[in-house]
Amino acid sequence: MNLPLSKSLRAFLPLALLGLAGSPSAQTQPDAVLLRYPDVSEDEIVFRYAGDLWLVPKEGGVARRVTTAEGNESFPKFSPDGERVAFMGGYEGGSDLYVMDLDAGIPERVTFHPTQEVLSDWTPDGQELLYWSSEVSGLGRFQRIMRVPVSGGQPSALPVPYGAFSSLDETGTWLAYNLTSREFRTWKRYQGGRAQDIWLFNLKTFESKKITDHPGTDSLPMW
């Protein structure tokens, strides 16, 4: 099943290439495979390039780097109001979640668990982050979907047995998610038992249903 991309995401690569090629610090046009994990707000696109996060206007222009610290940043996600960006930061010897105000530019740490937390999305109200981790299950291959307040605090697991990338609809009721993830694998055109499908789960009624049946991979769901 081929899930349609939004017009903004379809336009992402040429816009980002235009921006980076026009940057004073860029002498050559980068290969498109180096531009990863885009997310779109009302006005801008955020993406990862060369281990840092960059912003470029949706209509095109010069991309500007918004992180420069040692350590990699990845999986950036705009807050619902577009004023902040959450991301995974490889700082201090681990991988945790951070939130950064685009005006202030200072990342604030949200999670402190020694296992890896992989960011999925913001909750629709902008108060929490969704991520997946093995911190509750204790099993490296069977992660749980977690939520944690942006202001910090104790994470809690969502009521699904296990899962990976996820996204909540605007009502906060329906969760679209993958049972597992192969995002960090290199199995090209894989169609085996770990090929992901997208499921829906109702957080109020606990109803669940699988909505894709493509033999390959359907991943990174979004509403």
Side-chain angles (χ1 to χ4, degrees):
M1 176 179 178
N2 293 321
L3 297 180
L5 292 176
S6 70
K7 182 178 180 182
S8 297
L9 284 177
R10 289 199 303 271
F12 161 71
L13 285 179
L15 288 175
L17 286 171
L18 172 64
L20 283 172
S23 171
S25 62
Q27 301 301 316
T28 60
Q29 180 169 304
D31 193 309
V33 299
L34 299 178
L35 310 176
R36 304 196 69 190
Y37 309 125
D39 194 46
V40 183
S41 72
E42 183 176 352
D43 303 311
E44 295 179 297
I45 299 170
V46 62
F47 60 95
R48 169 180 167 163
Y49 171 70
D52 287 311
L53 302 184
W54 298 69
L55 286 174
V56 65
K58 284 171 62 175
E59 66 271 16
V62 176
R64 61 186 177 94
R65 185 164 57 185
V66 293
T67 61
T68 58
E70 293 186 8
N72 292 320
E73 295 91 9
S74 58
F75 291 102
K77 291 288 183 181
F78 281 110
S79 60
D81 60 12
E83 296 181 358
R84 294 175 292 173
V85 169
F87 59 91
M88 290 171 56
Y91 310 141
E92 303 181 47
S95 177
D96 289 282
L97 304 187
Y98 291 79
V99 171
M100 182 175 67
D101 190 301
L102 292 176
D103 290 330
I106 301 175
E108 296 183 2
R109 190 171 176 176
V110 178
T111 60
F112 294 83
H113 199 275
T115 60
Q116 183 184 58
E117 293 98 22
V118 182
L119 180 65
S120 290
D121 205 354
W122 295 69
T123 55
D125 59 9
Q127 298 300 309
E128 296 178 292
L129 300 178
L130 295 177
Y131 69 96
W132 53 275
S133 171
S134 59
E135 64 187 75
V136 173
S137 70
L139 302 173
R141 294 195 176 194
F142 297 97
Q143 297 85 7
R144 294 291 301 273
I145 300 175
M146 310 289 293
R147 63 196 307 166
V148 62
V150 174
S151 58
Q154 183 66 31
S156 59
L158 270 65
V160 290
Y162 49 88
F165 288 106
S166 62
S167 180
L168 276 171
D169 74 343
E170 62 181 8
T171 70
T173 301
W174 283 99
L175 178 77
Y177 73 106
N178 294 122
L179 298 180
T180 61
S181 174
R182 292 189 308 104
E183 178 61 30
F184 305 107
R185 304 285 183 173
T186 55
W187 304 336
K188 190 174 183 179
R189 290 188 287 272
Y190 176 77
Q191 296 187 10
R194 286 180 63 83
Q196 301 108 293
D197 283 304
I198 294 175
W199 288 69
L200 293 182
F201 184 86
N202 189 301
L203 296 178
K204 294 181 178 179
T205 66
F206 294 176
E207 173 190 358
S208 67
K209 55 186 176 182
K210 186 173 73 169
I211 62 172
T212 64
D213 57 8
H214 172 56
T217 293
D218 296 315
S219 185
L220 296 166
M222 66 182 103
W223 291 91

